[in-house]
Amino acid sequence: MQVESRFGSVSHASDFANLSEDIENETSELVSSSTLKRLWGYVDYMSNPRIYTLDVLSRYIGYQDFGHFCAEIHNDPQFVSGFLTGECLSADSLLEGEKIRVGWDPNRIVVLKYLGNNRFEVVSVQNASLLKGDRFVLPAIVKGFPMYIPHIERDGKTTPMYVAGYRSGITLIKKLQ
């Protein structure tokens, strides 16, 4: 994220307070540390950010406003398409019954068991909204990118789409013995 490229890593409560202060010093506009925590997924929050917040963050990284930022990245070939060269775990590379550990910021960890046919079951959860026993289809997990789960089967019902690592992407993918 361009804000972190300018400011530095944002992963602790004090980082958000410092970033808020830096944004105010640079733009003379306030974005609270609690708003920044919600944007970075440091605290759970299921709403979209206000355009004012996006405008201020865009000015902080050198754009006139959020509209100009979007126009700029829309025309940047880096954001149009390309091959992913990072660490990727394809479901078809797993054996039925194999377990993997997946993590994302801040401090979310799940252990998944592969059921075959791109299907997974949650075995254990730390600090995430997924629940033990949740089942879903997922063809691949790519480090550095969000994990999009089209829906989860939970207690005989189907949930809406779930996104893990929305802000910073998946930070951990590890096969377990």
Side-chain angles (χ1 to χ4, degrees):
M1 180 177 222
Q2 291 185 30
V3 169
E4 288 191 30
S5 294
R6 176 179 175 164
F7 177 78
S9 177
V10 182
S11 57
H12 298 89
S14 61
D15 296 335
F16 295 102
N18 293 334
L19 175 57
S20 175
E21 184 178 312
D22 197 48
I23 290 169
E24 187 173 13
N25 289 340
E26 294 296 320
T27 66
S28 299
E29 297 174 281
L30 178 65
V31 176
S32 72
S33 62
S34 59
T35 295
L36 295 171
K37 286 176 185 176
R38 288 191 299 269
L39 282 172
W40 262 255
Y42 189 78
V43 295
D44 290 331
Y45 191 72
M46 298 302 294
S47 183
N48 291 324
R50 294 181 15 217
I51 193 68
Y52 168 82
T53 302
L54 298 174
D55 282 342
V56 172
L57 290 173
S58 296
R59 284 191 277 280
Y60 178 70
I61 58 173
Y63 295 92
Q64 182 178 337
D65 57 27
F66 185 63
H68 284 87
F69 168 76
C70 290
E72 182 73 25
I73 66 168
H74 178 73
N75 295 320
D76 187 335
Q78 167 184 330
F79 293 101
V80 176
S81 60
F83 293 98
L84 301 177
T85 56
E87 182 181 341
C88 176
L89 178 74
S90 178
D92 62 13
S93 72
L94 296 170
L95 299 173
E96 199 168 313
E98 230 176 330
K99 294 180 182 176
I100 60 171
R101 180 177 288 126
V102 179
W104 61 97
D105 291 334
N107 196 28
R108 271 93 164 120
I109 305 255
V110 295
V111 174
L112 306 174
K113 180 170 79 172
Y114 185 61
L115 304 175
N117 295 324
N118 296 338
R119 294 181 50 77
F120 291 88
E121 180 176 341
V122 177
V123 175
S124 68
V125 182
Q126 290 178 325
N127 306 314
S129 299
L130 293 169
L131 300 176
K132 184 176 178 180
D134 283 352
R135 291 182 174 207
F136 52 86
V137 172
L138 188 66
I141 303 168
V142 182
K143 193 170 185 180
F145 290 87
M147 182 172 69
Y148 293 97
I149 301 172
H151 66 272
I152 297 169
E153 298 164 16
R154 176 182 288 168
D155 299 326
K157 297 179 182 169
T158 302
T159 69
M161 179 180 273
Y162 179 83
V163 181
Y166 181 74
R167 302 282 181 230
S168 60
I170 297 302
T171 57
L172 170 71
I173 305 170
K174 182 178 180 181
K175 284 187 180 184
L176 302 176
Q177 302 301 333

